[in-house]
Amino acid sequence: MPEYKGLKMPAKASVEDMRRIHIEPVPDDQKVEKAIQYLDEMRKKFRSFVLAMESCVKCGLCAENCHTYLGTRDPNNIPTNRAELIRKIYRRYFTLEGRWFGKLVGAEDLNLDIIEQWYSYFYQCNECRRCAHVCPFGIDTCEVTMIGRQILHWLGIVPKLHADVGAAMERTGNHTGLTKPAIVDTLEFLSEEIKDEFGVDVEFPVDKEGADIMYVPSSADFLLNPYTLMGAGMFFTYIGANWTIPSTITEAGNFGLLFDQQHTMRHNFTRLLHAAQKLGVKKIVWGECGHGWRAWKMYLPGMADLPIRWPITHIHDEVAYYIRTNQLKLDPNKIGRPVTLHDPCNYVRACGMAETLRTVIRACVADFREMYPNKENNFCCGGGSAILFDDPEMYQLRIKFSQKKAEQVRATGVGRDGNGILCAPCSICKAQLYPMVEEHQLGVEVKGLIDLVGMALVWK
Amino acid sequence: MTYFIAQILPYITVTVFIIGVIYRLWRWAASRIVHNITLSPFPQTKTEVAAIYLREIVLFNNVFKFDRPLWVGAWPMHIALLNVIGGHVVGFYFLGKQFVYLGASEALSTYLSNLLGTVFGIILLAGLLYLLYRRIAIDKVRQVSNPSDYLMLLLLISIVSLGNFMRLVPEYGMHYEPVREYFTTLILFQPAAIPEGNPFFILHLLLAQILIMILPFSKLMHLFGMFGMRWIENRIYKEPAPGLPNVDVAAARARGTGLSSVSGSDVA
Ligand code: HEM
Ligand code: SF4
Ligand code: SF4
Ligand code: SF4
């Protein structure tokens, strides 16, 4: 773990790592100049960014509404102060008041220390947008974080985790670097598991040309969240769908959103459109992944280089539709354990899915307990934007960032007997919460939502 | 000096204000909405979108919901500010007799005008002092403050205190008529000397002009920024319709998809 003047920061990608994702790191003596140039480009482009720079009143309302500040009490984790790390530079170089009055209005020259601060604090932001949701004006600090990370990326400063995932995406079309043989193998294995556990025959067709539906799962489901993938397979089999999983883009997520919204993000967008065309599908259905769904749903239309000829929907919305129309037979009593739901921020604040999640979960479990605050007001799990770092100090931060979540889960009482379920229908939430429920000793098991659908389906 | 403040500066103030605001708005307009960053709550109709704007502007709904102690100061302060600004325009124009149009007698109207001016002036001052207190005393607010944030509040407090002082201490009070005369001459580009040579009025006028000149270059632009931000975020977003192609669940269940030919499976 690199040390820089007491700042906490994740391990950085090496020069070779950066070259693999097509970035030549900028030498230290040019970093400041380049950063200002990139900042100038970004501010001329993004209105959301300019408004965040120019209309904050410093009321401090966002402070107690950001779980990273609540967990650490580090002033730089107050959303407006996180933004201020760039804002003071922005003022200095791009506003009259900053040029004339300097420190008085909080303007500062850029230097290498501040760039390292950017790296530290923009990678302590979960991009959960709770700050935007609560701000009287809707100022979106997530936009500032994203632009900060983009500039850092162009300078050659990216966490190793993110850079490696970026490289894997380009190589294989998924984050975990799964090749087609590995994908097919795992799916066959999952078919056997389903047979053993649920007694039904589920086939996972891979790259099936002429399928009607292309299902794009999160690649993490292959290794970490098998029940999510099994649940999806059971759902599609149950409704008799002609579906397939593409091996060229087996990834519901898109790390491009999190560190490089240009090249990296667009690369996987293009893969998706190519795959859909090649397989001749009619509709694309998205798997469980919060940031991924936001990227594909909200960002794809503005970034695709090709016409988008396929409606893209989320599997939760599809399941909810079949539940609302009474076409799925689900037995909520099969899962006899108390369940609470963690609303993934990207679903509820960026994609409007709060009611969908409830339609599905209420149909699948008998003892469902809301946590508070919930829906759009929910707090992030602390893993958002994949700051899932394992370096010891960063890991400690993850525990602090999930403190608010732990309090919320505890208050529901689902873990009192040690057999609760914490439904967290997002790959990153799951990756964060698997270890965190242990750290905070919550007495719950983390599960996806489609997992529960699979378990509750009544076949006969 | 008085000549400058009263007869020259107003024209500079107005020019700086107008050009400044246009410059800032132009900068905002020149950048684009690059991605769809729709944010909760997800309104489904234009009426719902309008309702979001309204409840944030009129009630400060978010502030109320997520930071009640801030709301207690900020909302009354803004309402009072709006009324004080409105009062300056209407009160001077109608010489305090605006309520006559609502059926009041002239005397009652003047009385009401004075009363409202005093009440809102005091609420405004109290609100500002409370916000200043917050900024100094509460860690999280102090930690986000720049020197200019305090100066802005101090400037506002000075202007409002001077205003209240003139209203409450009759020896230094200003009458509506001479002030209206003065503003009329300003508007006609034949600025007359400041009436009654009241030093408190001159200072009040100077500081108010400084505030107006600073506005386009300060965080007070939030009154426009709010519309800009919400315009980006609070939009109608429609999903593609759910329902999968060539899927007939009833037929699939009748066929028994997934149920193996091997009977006796342990499906519950
Ligand atoms: C449209 C809805 C508006 C909202 C939601 C809003 C909200 C706020 C908030 C939260 C503050 C921070 C208070 C603090 O200092 O802690 C503030 C300050 C202020 N606002 Fe507004 N505002 C709005 C419109 C306006 C308008 C129209 C004006 C002017 C005519 C105005 C003038 C001010 C002033 C003078 C301050 C004090 C600045 C300071 O703290 O230094 N606001 N506003
Ligand atoms: S809530 Fe909004 S206006 Fe207030 S300090 Fe935070 S970002 Fe600034
Ligand atoms: S996006 Fe989330 S983590 Fe980042 S500053 Fe806002 S509230 Fe905090
Ligand atoms: S990881 Fe989950 S909770 Fe956290 S930002 Fe993503 S969607 Fe939100």
Side-chain angles (χ1 to χ4, degrees):
Chain A
M1 177 142 133
E3 268 300 328
Y4 190 93
K5 304 195 177 170
L7 289 171
K8 295 187 173 145
M9 49 176 67
K12 287 179 186 162
S14 67
V15 176
E16 285 70 48
D17 294 335
M18 289 311 297
R19 287 190 180 137
R20 221 169 286 139
I21 50 174
H22 315 290
I23 291 290
E24 195 60 38
V26 175
D28 277 354
D29 60 349
Q30 292 168 31
K31 278 206 174 87
V32 167
E33 184 197 335
K34 281 285 170 196
I36 294 168
Q37 180 198 323
Y38 297 145
L39 186 57
D40 195 23
E41 286 166 17
M42 297 312 252
R43 67 143 189 133
K44 285 185 180 141
K45 200 167 161 192
F46 287 87
R47 189 182 301 161
S48 51
F49 176 70
V50 175
L51 288 167
M53 290 295 106
E54 301 199 7
S55 38
C56 169
V57 293
K58 303 304 187 75
C59 65
L61 179 152
C62 46
E64 308 256 338
N65 284 295
C66 171
H67 60 289
T68 72
Y69 175 66
L70 290 178
T72 59
R73 295 286 159 182
D74 180 340
N76 281 326
N77 274 330
I78 296 176
T80 187
N81 272 359
R82 199 189 306 286
E84 189 78 6
L85 293 173
I86 279 195
R87 204 185 274 123
K88 60 189 182 184
I89 309 305
Y90 176 94
R91 278 203 202 95
R92 163 66 186 78
Y93 296 96
F94 308 119
T95 69
L96 291 177
E97 64 272 23
R99 257 179 247 154
W100 292 344
F101 298 107
K103 278 253 176 358
L104 186 72
V105 295
E108 237 178 277
D109 284 322
L110 183 60
N111 57 41
L112 284 178
D113 286 359
I114 294 177
I115 293 179
E116 293 297 329
Q117 261 189 324
W118 289 359
Y119 180 60
S120 176
Y121 287 103
F122 292 138
Y123 282 98
Q124 288 185 50
C125 170
N126 285 119
E127 302 191 338
C128 72
R129 302 180 86 205
R130 197 167 195 275
C131 45
H133 176 70
V134 302
C135 172
F137 319 122
I139 291 174
D140 194 347
T141 301
C142 174
E143 289 290 296
V144 181
T145 294
M146 284 172 166
I147 277 166
R149 290 184 181 190
Q150 183 75 54
I151 294 171
L152 288 169
H153 171 69
W154 283 332
L155 294 176
I157 310 173
V158 174
K160 180 153 173 58
L161 171 70
H162 290 69
D164 287 352
V165 168
M169 282 168 71
E170 182 165 335
R171 207 170 60 243
T172 58
N174 64 71
H175 292 165
T176 7
L178 297 170
T179 56
K180 181 164 180 181
I183 289 168
V184 173
D185 265 9
T186 311
L187 290 172
E188 280 171 4
F189 171 75
L190 291 181
S191 289
E192 288 164 24
E193 287 288 298
I194 294 174
K195 182 77 188 164
D196 287 350
E197 197 171 338
F198 301 96
V200 286
D201 291 316
V202 167
E203 220 189 298
F204 291 88
V206 176
D207 292 338
K208 177 177 166 192
E209 292 196 17
D212 294 319
I213 301 154
M214 184 162 96
Y215 177 64
V216 184
S218 165
S219 66
D221 294 355
F222 284 76
L223 302 164
L224 298 170
N225 326 310
Y227 279 88
T228 307
L229 202 40
M230 285 153 67
M234 286 193 270
F235 166 68
F236 285 121
T237 307
Y238 186 95
I239 63 171
N242 175 16
W243 67 299
T244 190
I245 292 176
S247 71
T248 49
I249 167 92
T250 321
E251 184 53 76
N254 190 330
F255 263 43
L257 182 79
L258 313 177
F259 76 95
D260 175 22
Q261 300 190 347
Q262 313 262 334
H263 179 78
T264 310
M265 183 154 82
R266 179 174 275 134
H267 187 87
N268 261 26
F269 283 167
T270 311
R271 268 181 183 266
L272 178 83
L273 302 178
H274 288 176
Q277 185 191 29
K278 174 142 183 299
L279 300 176
V281 299
K282 300 192 176 66
K283 191 167 191 179
I284 300 173
V285 175
W286 219 254
E288 276 191 12
C289 176
H291 84 275
W293 182 229
R294 179 174 186 210
W296 297 93
K297 173 171 165 163
M298 296 305 201
Y299 285 63
L300 174 70
M303 285 196 76
D305 298 328
L306 294 161
I308 305 169
R309 299 190 287 113
W310 307 269
I312 308 182
T313 51
H314 195 282
I315 188 162
H316 295 161
D317 286 322
E318 295 296 349
V319 172
Y321 167 75
Y322 286 101
I323 289 173
R324 287 193 192 108
T325 51
N326 286 320
Q327 300 187 63
L328 290 190
K329 208 166 150 203
L330 294 155
D331 178 2
N333 293 312
K334 276 195 185 180
I335 304 168
R337 299 155 63 183
V339 183
T340 187
L341 172 69
H342 159 64
D343 288 279
C345 325
N346 281 299
Y347 285 167
V348 291
R349 275 193 285 277
C351 298
M353 276 174 61
E355 291 313 321
T356 298
L357 299 179
R358 278 156 184 78
T359 303
V360 177
I361 202 162
R362 288 224 164 85
C364 293
V365 303
D367 183 3
F368 170 58
R369 303 182 199 168
E370 288 278 8
M371 64 172 78
Y372 297 94
N374 57 25
K375 302 185 185 170
E376 302 83 56
N377 299 335
N378 192 30
F379 281 97
C380 173
C381 62
S385 78
I387 50 176
L388 301 163
F389 306 112
D390 285 331
D391 338 32
E393 216 174 308
M394 297 309 287
Y395 186 79
Q396 288 306 315
L397 277 181
R398 278 171 66 188
I399 297 177
K400 290 184 178 155
F401 291 174
S402 57
Q403 206 164 286
K404 187 74 198 175
K405 181 69 9 188
E407 287 164 23
Q408 286 180 281
V409 174
R410 238 179 247 123
T412 64
V414 295
R416 204 162 290 142
D417 301 327
N419 70 339
I421 291 179
L422 169 57
C423 176
C426 152
S427 271
I428 291 182
C429 303
K430 288 173 198 162
Q432 160 77 348
L433 291 169
Y434 286 145
M436 290 308 133
V437 297
E438 305 298 328
E439 297 292 349
H440 297 287
Q441 303 182 337
L442 297 177
V444 296
E445 188 189 356
V446 178
K447 287 239 177 286
L449 185 55
I450 298 303
D451 313 31
L452 303 180
V453 174
M455 291 177 198
L457 275 175
V458 179
W459 292 81
K460 273 197 279 207
Chain B
M1 193 61 195
T2 311
Y3 174 73
F4 177 75
I5 294 170
Q7 280 144 292
I8 298 180
L9 192 59
Y11 298 104
I12 301 178
T13 303
V14 172
T15 312
V16 170
F17 177 78
I18 292 175
I19 293 180
V21 169
I22 291 174
Y23 165 71
R24 282 285 284 272
L25 296 183
W26 171 78
R27 269 166 62 117
W28 296 355
S31 52
R32 292 179 294 125
I33 303 175
V34 181
H35 298 300
N36 179 357
I37 59 165
T38 303
L39 178 72
S40 49
F42 280 77
Q44 290 302 306
T45 60
K46 288 207 172 107
T47 321
E48 284 174 38
V49 175
I52 295 176
Y53 280 72
L54 271 177
R55 69 170 192 251
E56 292 304 336
I57 296 168
V58 180
L59 303 173
F60 288 21
N61 183 59
N62 266 1
V63 186
F64 187 79
K65 258 188 8 212
F66 296 104
D67 195 340
R68 198 68 51 86
L70 171 60
W71 188 88
V72 167
W75 188 76
M77 187 282 274
H78 279 81
I79 296 298
L81 180 67
L82 209 71
N83 278 284
V84 167
I85 295 173
H88 275 71
V89 177
V90 178
F92 285 120
Y93 184 77
F94 292 106
L95 303 174
K97 303 201 170 52
Q98 60 271 27
F99 296 108
V100 172
Y101 298 95
L102 299 177
S105 69
E106 284 207 359
L108 178 64
S109 176
T110 315
Y111 173 76
L112 275 178
S113 182
N114 278 322
L115 180 72
L116 287 175
T118 310
V119 168
F120 282 123
I122 289 170
I123 297 177
L124 179 54
L125 183 62
L128 288 167
L129 287 171
Y130 174 78
L131 291 177
L132 182 64
Y133 161 77
R134 256 183 105 251
R135 216 171 263 296
I136 294 168
I138 298 180
D139 281 352
K140 63 173 186 189
V141 194
R142 192 177 59 243
Q143 284 163 345
V144 303
S145 302
N146 285 316
S148 53
D149 296 319
Y150 298 100
L151 291 177
M152 185 68 78
L153 275 171
L154 289 174
L155 178 59
L156 279 160
I157 288 170
S158 316
I159 297 171
V160 178
S161 305
L162 284 164
N164 284 349
F165 179 79
M166 287 187 282
R167 204 172 255 296
L168 296 174
V169 182
E171 299 96 280
Y172 295 102
M174 293 292 291
H175 292 286
Y176 287 146
E177 291 82 357
V179 180
R180 180 162 86 162
E181 283 296 295
Y182 163 67
F183 276 110
T184 312
T185 63
L186 271 183
I187 290 166
L188 296 175
F189 291 101
Q190 293 158 343
I194 216 159
E196 300 175 25
N198 181 340
F200 292 95
F201 181 75
I202 294 169
L203 195 56
H204 182 74
L205 187 64
L206 172 65
L207 294 178
Q209 293 190 71
I210 292 177
L211 177 72
I212 295 170
M213 280 192 282
I214 290 176
L215 192 142
F217 306 97
S218 74
K219 65 177 186 179
L220 294 187
M221 283 297 281
H222 68 275
L223 68 118
F224 300 109
M226 187 199 113
F227 289 94
M229 216 54 227
R230 296 211 171 276
W231 174 252
I232 300 175
E233 287 170 344
N234 298 125
R235 306 195 146 216
I236 300 171
Y237 182 87
K238 292 257 188 258
E239 306 276 340
L244 295 166
N246 299 327
V247 161
D248 182 340
V249 185
R253 292 329 309 141
R255 273 202 317 277
T257 54
L259 298 171
S260 46
S261 34
V262 193
S263 58
S265 63
D266 56 346
V267 185

